[in-house]
Amino acid sequence: MKFKDNYYRLVGVRNEGAHSLFSIALLPDCELYRGHFPGDPVCPGVCSIELIRQCAECLEREPLFIHRIKQCRFTVLLSPVTCRELTVDLFLSPFGEEESVIVSARICDEQNVYVEFKSEMLKKGRTISG
Amino acid sequence: MDLEDIKQFIPQREPIIMVDRLVRVAAEEAVTSLVVRDTLCFVNETGCLSEPGLIEHIAQSASAFAGYAARAAGATKPPVGYIGEVKKFHCYRLPECGEELFTTIAWGPEVGGVRIVSGETRAADEVVAETQMKIFTR
């Protein structure tokens, strides 16, 4: 399944210091909610991870492979019914060799922080070491 | 219990079912399987199961294990669990369509509705992904 324009829509991007803030609209008609869960739509946590990866790819302008996730906390349940608009607050920093990047992110709106995320991603097509 | 019918053990339904079978269950460990195919929603445009797809597969494997235990204890419906935290996730490569994954779930004690689970996914007898996670039930 293609996530962009099916699970979410990118509304805009702006920078604040070293952070990039992505405005995201969740799309409640996405077919995934038929099964997650029937009659009770809840955003799958892993879809938030995919969303963060796609925002990071947008900044890096190349595909990224999620090599490690140090920690990803889902602090508040997210539903497309109660939450239509989100901010993905992204901070990237180079790591070790230049083929690797540390991606730190938070997904939030005015009320809640839903996800706190830290991982190492590799630029694809480069070799994976360790 | 018939281990073949996965829907009796997990609350997820199509199109997001990410586990095919409960292969075997012991006291604190279970093994599940999944054949990667292009109809799975986490298979990407290059025909590989994505990293979030691997995490969801491990989470649903843990869900199937919990559902089996609940059924064995007399529950009529599988419990609904949510991922509270993913920790120490490591992905070595993305499995391709046609590959069969075998995932071993080990679970720790449940405290206050939160259970710590570890999962390791193998394809062609090599580890492709491993993670720890906290699963909570609402």
Side-chain angles (χ1 to χ4, degrees):
Chain A
M1 188 190 90
K2 197 170 162 288
F3 281 82
K4 189 159 189 251
D5 299 323
N6 193 3
Y7 179 75
Y8 75 93
R9 191 161 48 79
L10 178 60
V11 178
V13 191
R14 65 194 165 88
N15 293 317
E16 258 182 32
H19 288 243
S20 299
L21 305 181
F22 289 76
S23 297
I24 297 294
L26 291 175
L27 305 176
D29 293 332
C30 179
E31 64 186 48
L32 287 187
Y33 297 117
R34 282 196 286 118
H36 199 279
F37 296 94
D40 180 22
V42 174
C43 300
V46 298
C47 292
S48 291
I49 297 176
E50 185 61 44
L51 175 61
I52 291 168
R53 182 242 297 276
Q54 293 194 7
C55 290
E57 287 180 337
C58 187
L59 286 184
E60 287 290 305
R61 296 201 165 87
E62 64 177 306
L64 295 172
F65 170 74
I66 306 174
H67 184 38
R68 299 168 201 265
I69 297 174
K70 186 167 184 272
Q71 191 179 38
C72 179
R73 296 177 64 217
F74 300 96
T75 44
V76 176
L77 266 190
L78 191 53
S79 158
V81 177
T82 53
C83 181
R84 293 293 186 90
E85 298 250 342
L86 290 170
T87 299
V88 178
D89 176 340
L90 204 62
F91 178 76
L92 304 188
S93 53
F95 177 67
E97 316 282 318
E98 65 181 32
E99 66 267 20
S100 180
V101 61
I102 300 291
V103 177
S104 303
R106 290 196 324 161
I107 298 180
C108 52
D109 62 12
E110 283 164 11
Q111 282 80 42
N112 294 304
V113 175
Y114 298 96
V115 182
E116 293 173 325
F117 176 88
K118 189 168 187 184
S119 85
E120 180 196 349
M121 299 194 193
L122 300 180
K123 298 176 184 182
K124 274 186 189 166
R126 325 270 175 113
T127 49
I128 300 168
S129 54
Chain B
M1 267 184 280
D2 175 16
L3 294 186
E4 292 291 320
D5 178 19
I6 199 68
K7 284 188 191 166
Q8 65 183 322
F9 303 125
I10 60 171
Q12 291 83 4
R13 290 294 176 264
E14 294 302 350
I16 202 178
I17 293 181
M18 290 296 294
V19 56
D20 289 338
R21 288 188 304 133
L22 201 48
V23 178
R24 60 173 187 271
V25 187
E28 290 178 351
E29 199 175 276
V31 177
T32 67
S33 69
L34 175 72
V35 175
V36 179
R37 48 193 181 266
D38 62 8
T39 49
L40 298 176
C41 53
F42 294 99
V43 167
N44 64 24
E45 64 286 351
T46 64
C48 293
L49 182 62
S50 70
E51 309 87 322
L54 281 162
I55 297 171
E56 184 62 22
H57 163 64
I58 292 172
Q60 290 190 20
S61 297
S63 180
F65 191 5
Y68 177 90
R71 287 290 303 258
T76 52
K77 285 204 296 188
V80 179
Y82 304 91
I83 304 174
E85 184 177 325
V86 172
K87 213 173 164 178
K88 297 182 184 171
F89 170 75
H90 211 133
C91 184
Y92 301 95
R93 72 171 174 90
L94 301 181
E96 295 170 14
C97 281
E99 286 193 276
E100 186 166 26
L101 309 181
F102 289 94
T103 293
T104 303
I105 297 293
W107 65 13
E110 185 182 316
V111 179
V114 179
R115 192 184 283 281
I116 296 176
V117 170
S118 22
E120 181 189 83
T121 299
R122 290 176 169 264
D125 216 32
E126 61 174 11
V127 178
V128 294
E130 59 198 350
T131 193
Q132 292 180 7
M133 55 179 77
K134 284 183 186 165
I135 306 278
F136 70 95
T137 35
R138 187 157 60 169

